[in-house]
Amino acid sequence: MRKLLADGLKLGESLARLPWEAARRVTDGRSETLKQAADLGERLGTLPFRAAQSVLGTQEVGRLGAAGPGGTPGGRPGAGGAAGDRRPRTVVLGAGYAGLTCFLELQDHLSRNDDLTLVNGDKYHWFTTELHTYVAGEPEDAVRIPLARVVARPGRLTVGRVTKVDPAARTVELEGGRRVAYDMLVFALGSDPEYYGLPGVAENSLIVGNWQGATRVRERIGQLFRKEGEAETVPHVVVAGGGLTGVEVAGELADEYGRRVRLTILEAGPDIMGGFAPELVRTSRDVLMGKGIEIRTGNPIARVQPGKITFKDGGELSFDLLVWAGGVRGSALLAEAGFATTPKGRGKVDAYLRAEGHPEVYLVGDSAAFTDPATGRELPPTAQAAVQMGRTVGRNILRQLKGQASEPFMPKIKGSFASLGRAEGVGQIGAEQYTGVPAMLIKELVDAHHAWETGGGILPLVSRLVRAPGRYLRGRPAGVRAGVAGRPGAKPAAGLVAPARAAERTDRRG
C-alpha cells in the first residue's frame, strides 16, 4: 500500500510539472520574467506532492559520490565524507542574499531526512541594501526577517560566528570552539571593508555594509543629537565613497535630519555614481545638492586622524562622524583557509562557482570572483548577482545529489537603482532611464519582492508596500525642487518609460 501511494505521489508531481515545463520551453530565451513565473508555478504546483513524499520519506535524492559536480564519477567524498547510507552533509555559511537563496532552494527540494545546515552570525536575514534606512531611524524589523520563520526541515539553523574553515578536514569552526562538519560547503560570508591601506581610516570610521556596522552608525548619530544644554553646533557627517551605498546613506540622513546636520560626500574618482549614465549622475547631483549635501570629487584621502581627514593635495576636513563606504573586499576567512583569491580578496571560482582546487566548496555572493562571460569583466558585488549565484549553486547541488550534470553560472544583470532619500531615486535598465517617483516605485517593488521570495511570508511584503507611501511623504518636503525630475507636475525626462515596463524586465533583488 505504501509503495502504491508513493508511486501515485510521484505521478502526481510529474503531472503537475508538465504545464510549467512546457511553458519554459515555449518562452526559453524570450523572457527571464516568464521563466521565473514558470519556476514559481512549478514550485507551488508540486508543493503538496513533495510535502506528502517528505512525510512518507519517499522523496528520492541521490547520494553524494554518484557523480561529481560536472556529472562525472565522483568517488569517495574524502575526509569527513559520507559513509554507507548516511546522508551527505551540506552546510551553508551566511544568511545574506546569496546564502539564504541557496539554502531555501535546497530546503524546498530535499527530503525531510537530508542533512542541511545554515550557519549565521545572528538569528536574522538582513536586507543589507536597505541598511541606510535603518541608519536614519527605520525600525530593525523593517530591514530584517527572523530566520526561524523560514528555516524548516530538512534545514536547521546554527547561530554562531565563523572563525575558521578547514578544507582538509572539511570542518567549520565557530566562535567558542564548536565545529560543524560538511561534505559540501557553500561559502557566503559576504565581504570586509576595503581601506586600501590608508592610515587611520579603519580606526576612525564606521561602516554600513553589515548590520553591526549600521547599528554603530545609528547609535553614533543618536549621540550627536543628544548633546542637550551644550552650545548649538551642527554635527558634520562625512560619507567617504560616492557609490550606491554612500549616496543612499547621505540622501537618507538628509531627509531625516535636514539642516540639523552638515553632510559631505567624498569620492576619490571624477564623479559619484560610477556606472550610471551621465544624465542620471547629473540628476543625482542636483537632488543631493538640493538637500544641502556637499559633494567633493577627484581628491583622494591620504590619511585620517581623530576628527580630521587629510587629502592627497594636502587639504584638510574636520568631521564628527566618518562613514566609510569606499569599497569592499572578500572575507578574510577565504585566504586564511588557503583558498585561491584575487588581489581584492575574493575567491577564485570556475564556471560552476566552485572554489579552485576544492570541487566540494562553492563560493557565492561577495566572496566569489566570477568573470562574466558576456563582458569579460569580474561581476561586481551586488545583491542582484548574489541572489542569482545562490539559486544556481542550490540547483547544481541538487543535480549533483541526483547524479546529474551541473549547469554553468550565467548571470543576467538587469539594471541598477539607487534611492536619493525617501522621495526620489534614479535607475537604469539597459538604455532605459528612470528618475523620481518611477525609480523609487520600481526599487520598492523589487525590495518587497525579495522580502516575499525569501520565504518570510506575505507580511514582510505587505509591510514594506504599506510603509513606502509614509516614507515618501516624510521625505517629500525636502525633495520638491525645481529642475528635479519626478517632482509634481514635471514631465519625464527623455528616455523615461512607464514603471510597469521595468517591473516586467528586472528581478534585481535589493
Side-chain angles (χ1 to χ4, degrees), residues 49-62:
F49 299 102
R50 289 187 287 110
Q53 290 179 65
S54 295
V55 171
L56 290 174
T58 59
Q59 186 170 347
E60 294 183 355
V61 177

Side-chain angles (χ1 to χ4, degrees), residues 30-43:
R30 299 181 184 178
S31 170
E32 180 66 16
T33 301
L34 290 177
K35 179 180 179 299
Q36 290 179 354
D39 289 343
L40 178 60
E42 178 182 325
R43 180 179 297 185

Side-chain angles (χ1 to χ4, degrees), residues 349-353 369-380 388-389 407-413:
V349 296
D350 63 11
Y352 305 96
L353 297 174
F370 180 82
T371 300
D372 187 347
T375 64
R377 295 192 297 268
E378 188 174 302
L379 206 61
Q388 293 180 23
M389 287 181 178
E407 294 183 355
F409 175 53
M410 299 297 291
K412 297 180 180 178
I413 306 304

Side-chain angles (χ1 to χ4, degrees), residues 31-109:
S31 170
E32 180 66 16
T33 301
L34 290 177
K35 179 180 179 299
Q36 290 179 354
D39 289 343
L40 178 60
E42 178 182 325
R43 180 179 297 185
L44 295 175
T46 60
L47 181 61
F49 299 102
R50 289 187 287 110
Q53 290 179 65
S54 295
V55 171
L56 290 174
T58 59
Q59 186 170 347
E60 294 183 355
V61 177
R63 298 290 194 271
L64 183 66
T72 57
R76 196 175 77 85
D85 290 332
R86 180 176 61 74
R87 300 278 181 167
R89 298 163 297 191
T90 302
V91 176
V92 179
L93 302 182
Y97 291 104
L100 186 59
T101 299
C102 179
F103 176 81
L104 293 176
E105 187 72 29
L106 293 168
Q107 180 176 271
D108 284 350
H109 293 90

Side-chain angles (χ1 to χ4, degrees), residues 368-427:
F370 180 82
T371 300
D372 187 347
T375 64
R377 295 192 297 268
E378 188 174 302
L379 206 61
T382 65
Q384 183 180 180
V387 168
Q388 293 180 23
M389 287 181 178
R391 183 173 295 112
T392 294
V393 167
R395 291 174 178 175
N396 276 341
I397 289 176
L398 292 169
R399 290 187 182 97
Q400 179 182 352
L401 293 173
K402 296 175 182 177
Q404 300 172 352
S406 295
E407 294 183 355
F409 175 53
M410 299 297 291
K412 297 180 180 178
I413 306 304
K414 298 168 182 64
S416 297
F417 286 82
S419 64
L420 304 173
R422 293 166 175 166
E424 289 156 307
V426 294

